[in-house]
Every structure is written in C-alpha cells, then in structure tokens.
Amino acid sequence: AQSVTQLDSHVSVSEGTPVLLRCNYSSSYSPSLFWYVQHPNKGLQLLLKYTSAATLVKGINGFEAEFKKSETSFHLTKPSAHMSDAAEYFCVVSETRGYQKVTFGTGTKLQVIP
Amino acid sequence: DAGITQSPRYKITETGRQVTLMCHQTWSHSYMFWYRQDLGHGLRLIYYSAAADITDKGEVPDGYVVSRSKTENFPLTLESATRSQTSVYFCASSESARGNGSPLHFGNGTRLTVT
C-alpha cells in the first residue's frame, strides 16, 4: 500500500535560518516523489520532483530534497528561510500501475518569524 | 494562456441545488483529477479520468458526478448539494501515466459554500 507521512503539522523558523520539513513514505514499487507548496488561497505549485535519477533533487526558490531509500524518507530543506516561504507544504508519492495513483501527505504549515 | 483554469473561483449555493464546477486545461494532458481540500483531511481524490470518456472513482466520490467528453474539460457536478460538501475543490492534470514521473498541475481552486 502507498502512504505518505509528514512528521510535523507545523514548523516555525526564524528568517535566515535553515528549514527542514520531514516526509516519510511507503510504497510497494519504485515511486516518484514530489513536494508542492500552497500559499493562502492559491493552488498547489510544484517545488521539485524525484523520479529515480539523482537522489538529491533541487527545486525552485532554493529548496532541495534528498531521497533516502533505506530510510524511506524525502525531507525538504532550504539553507535560509525567507518570509515569502511561509506557506503549506505537501509531500506526494506517485505510482503508476495501470493508472496513476497519487497520495498526498496531510501538509506542513511553515511559519517564518521576522 | 496555457494552463489549467477553474471556474467559478467562489460559489455559494443552497442545500439540494445542483452545482457544476468547471475545469479546463490547455496542455492536452491525458489525466485529470478532482480533489477536495478540507481542514484536517488534506487533499482527497474525488474522481479522476485517464482520457476522454474514461473516468473512475477516487477516495470520496459519493454525491459527485463527472464527465469527460473532451480531453480539455473535466466538469464536476454536485447533483444535490449538502453542507458536508462545503470545501475547496481543486482540479489537476497530468501529462501521462506512463512512468511515475509526471507531476500534477493544479488550478487555483473553487471555494464552494453550501448553506
């Protein structure tokens, strides 16, 4: 069965400090993994994706994520938080077995303190 | 403009009324999806479509109907709206189900309130 667990529902960081948003997944196959960001009253925007190439994936706005198969993790990081990073972040796992099955995590709200 | 557009952005309706939410994409993506987003539940899949005239139920399909006569359109109909269907609805599309690497592209959502 496919599942995604985002380990923190809320994360608070000070502006200029590192960001770590944690995600663990479960999949019977070799999945693709994604991180999306949602700003208030907006749709979800793709930050980055992992599709079995390099395990360290770079995305937009300075974010990156590392795929660790042994730990079944796909944590999202950024070296220095900016006020504009305040949003909700979703970790997503996708498998294709006849049809595309996509499972979303429950989201992590990132607060950035000035 | 290329992309995925949803209409209306906001809708208020009364219990028992029929409501249709529209979704249009300009990429000719094969897959389209409808999700609802509720506090405490994250995003839940209502229906998806692999191609024109091919649709299937997701996690929470009861009370909803979809159709896909054309690749670019995927309307969602609430046949008889209930208060529990008050939510934000997101439409998404995906280029292909071949291989896992196709991300979903989302519209900006429709905020539906059922009174």
Side-chain angles (χ1 to χ4, degrees):
Chain A
Q2 177 180 276
S3 67
V4 178
T5 302
Q6 290 186 242
L7 298 162
D8 306 292
S9 58
H10 290 84
V11 170
S12 184
V13 301
S14 297
E15 190 177 17
T17 64
V19 176
L20 170 63
L21 305 183
R22 299 182 295 164
C23 173
N24 286 106
Y25 72 94
S26 171
S27 173
S28 304
Y29 295 81
S30 297
S32 288
L33 295 158
F34 307 89
W35 275 99
Y36 284 83
V37 60
Q38 184 181 29
H39 287 94
N41 299 315
K42 296 289 186 184
L44 282 78
Q45 180 185 15
L46 180 68
L47 270 182
L48 49 80
K49 68 176 184 179
Y50 166 77
T51 56
S52 77
T55 56
L56 183 62
V57 182
K58 293 189 185 297
I60 62 172
N61 300 335
F63 284 94
E64 60 182 39
E66 186 171 9
F67 174 73
K68 292 186 176 180
K69 188 174 182 178
S70 60
E71 299 176 11
T72 60
S73 69
F74 190 56
H75 302 335
L76 182 70
T77 60
K78 183 173 181 177
S80 176
H82 192 273
M83 294 300 295
S84 60
D85 295 328
E88 189 159 21
Y89 293 79
F90 293 91
C91 183
V92 178
V93 62
S94 172
E95 297 174 354
T96 301
R97 288 179 283 152
Y99 69 94
Q100 186 176 13
K101 180 175 170 59
V102 178
T103 301
F104 282 79
T106 52
T108 299
K109 281 194 176 167
L110 176 65
Q111 180 186 20
V112 181
I113 302 166
Chain B
D1 288 342
I4 185 164
T5 54
Q6 292 183 237
S7 61
R9 283 281 279 142
Y10 303 92
K11 176 74 177 177
I12 300 174
T13 191
E14 295 176 342
T15 301
R17 298 245 184 190
Q18 183 180 81
V19 178
T20 296
L21 310 184
M22 305 301 291
C23 179
H24 175 79
Q25 52 111 349
T26 58
W27 291 301
S28 298
H29 284 172
S30 302
Y31 269 60
M32 296 188 75
F33 306 81
W34 274 106
Y35 288 88
R36 59 178 290 174
Q37 185 176 32
D38 304 287
L39 219 58
H41 291 280
L43 276 89
R44 293 181 290 175
L45 181 64
I46 304 170
Y47 269 94
Y48 69 95
S49 168
D53 297 322
I54 301 174
T55 62
D56 208 346
K57 296 177 181 178
E59 184 185 351
V60 289
D62 293 344
Y64 302 95
V65 174
V66 293
S67 62
R68 192 150 176 224
S69 57
K70 291 184 177 182
T71 300
E72 60 266 29
N73 296 325
F74 191 39
L76 176 75
T77 298
L78 288 66
E79 294 185 296
S80 178
T82 65
R83 289 197 182 90
S84 65
Q85 292 176 310
T86 292
S87 186
V88 181
Y89 291 85
F90 287 100
C91 180
S93 69
S94 171
E95 183 174 6
S96 172
R98 296 188 185 281
N100 292 327
S102 301
L104 269 61
H105 300 271
F106 285 85
N108 282 330
T110 293
R111 186 175 293 273
L112 176 67
T113 302
V114 183
T115 62

